[in-house]
Structure formats: C-alpha cells, structure tokens
Amino acid sequence: MILVSACLLGQNCKYNGGNNNNPKLQKLFKQEEIIPVCPEKLGGLAIPRPPAEIKGGRGEDVLRGQAKVVNKLGADITQEFIKGAQKTLKIAKQNDCKLAILKARSPSCGSQKIYDGSFVGEKKKGQGITAALLAQEGIKIINEEELNKLEE
Ligand code: SF4
C-alpha cells in the first residue's frame, strides 16, 4: 500500500481550499493501492486556513521540540502539525505502507526542501514534519516531482 498526500489526488485540502491534483498517480497506481492522507486536516486544521511555515529549523527539529510551526497570522500551530504527523504515521502502520508519495515543499509533506519560515517564498533544504516522522520509521518517501521524472 502507498500513502499519498490527499491534495495530489484532487482532494481540496490545501490551505487555500484547492488541490494539487496529479493525474499521473491514478495512471501509475490502482485506486485500491493508494491510502490518501492530509496530515494538516488530520491535525484538526481548517480548510481553508492561513498558510504555515516552519520557523527555526526543519521537520525533525519540530519533532524534537526545537522549532515551531507558525501561520501567516503569527499563530503557533506546532501541536496541530505534530498531531497530524502522528495520525498519519498510525494510518501508514495500520496499512503496512512502505512508500509514501508526498507533496513537495509543504511544511508537513515536503521531503527535500521546505519554505524557510519567512513567508516570502524562500526555501531551505529539509523535510516537513510528517515526512520527517515517516522517514524516521523507515518509510521511503518520494515527492510528486520525482514521480513525474520517473515516468519520463
Ligand atoms: S501538502 Fe500535505 S498537508 Fe498540505 S494539503 Fe497536501 S496533503 Fe494536506
């Protein structure tokens, strides 16, 4: 079974109420192989919601209590992000997922680069919180951009 960011499957769970539908996912995998998850929704955040970024570190730092997640209005929503990551990991374990295909650059799902906390579009190397937690548990993560390259 493959864990997939729900927004990549067309679910309207993005911060702005939209999605990042990637039709290649449905072409490459059978529906019954895919487990859709949105960590931010699982963490109790609303749709739509203000955009959020990790301040002072990366996903693994947030899990260690050494960085936080803030939204564009300045609210600390670290606990919601951690809760969403933990619920996502539970779903992955329940379904014996060894692979996750996650949305690039998200503070939850990003697996190579994430936005740097300045809310001006700058990125830094690192994983989002859910991606970091899944990786710590041995789940292989690729983002949808790597998936697109694989198919070429
Ligand atoms: S990137 Fe992850 S947390 Fe953000 S909307 Fe998509 S599935 Fe949800």
Side-chain angles (χ1 to χ4, degrees):
M1 300 298 283
I2 303 162
L3 201 72
V4 180
S5 294
C7 59
L8 294 176
L9 297 164
Q11 291 189 22
N12 292 329
C13 50
K14 266 182 79 168
Y15 73 91
N16 62 6
N19 65 68
N20 301 301
N21 188 41
N22 185 333
K24 284 179 184 165
L25 277 163
Q26 277 100 340
K27 264 204 266 170
L28 288 172
F29 303 105
K30 293 184 195 133
Q31 199 164 352
E32 56 269 26
E33 294 175 319
I34 291 175
I35 308 287
V37 284
C38 175
E40 291 172 28
K41 193 172 150 194
L42 286 168
L45 293 168
I47 304 166
R49 55 191 174 276
E53 297 190 4
I54 298 175
K55 261 203 184 314
R58 297 165 172 77
E60 57 269 35
D61 302 312
V62 175
L63 292 170
R64 282 196 294 260
Q66 293 170 349
K68 59 185 182 175
V69 188
V70 294
N71 70 20
K72 208 171 181 179
L73 304 177
D76 184 334
I77 46 173
T78 307
Q79 289 315 310
E80 286 85 344
F81 272 67
I82 291 175
K83 184 175 164 193
Q86 289 168 340
K87 284 192 174 181
T88 301
L89 176 62
K90 192 172 174 194
I91 292 168
K93 286 186 167 177
Q94 282 167 343
N95 291 281
D96 198 25
C97 297
K98 304 277 193 283
L99 173 68
I101 300 171
L102 302 181
K103 175 74 188 81
R105 296 178 296 278
S106 149
S108 292
C109 295
S111 54
Q112 294 187 353
K113 285 184 180 176
I114 51 174
Y115 289 105
D116 74 351
S118 61
F119 291 97
V120 294
E122 290 297 318
K123 297 168 206 87
K124 60 188 173 191
K125 277 191 179 172
Q127 296 176 308
I129 295 141
T130 293
L133 187 62
L134 295 176
Q136 284 173 8
E137 295 289 325
I139 296 170
K140 182 174 169 52
I141 299 168
I142 62 174
N143 66 39
E144 85 282 8
E145 291 165 353
E146 293 171 283
L147 184 80
N148 292 343
K149 279 186 212 153
L150 278 181
E151 214 208 3
E152 281 165 10

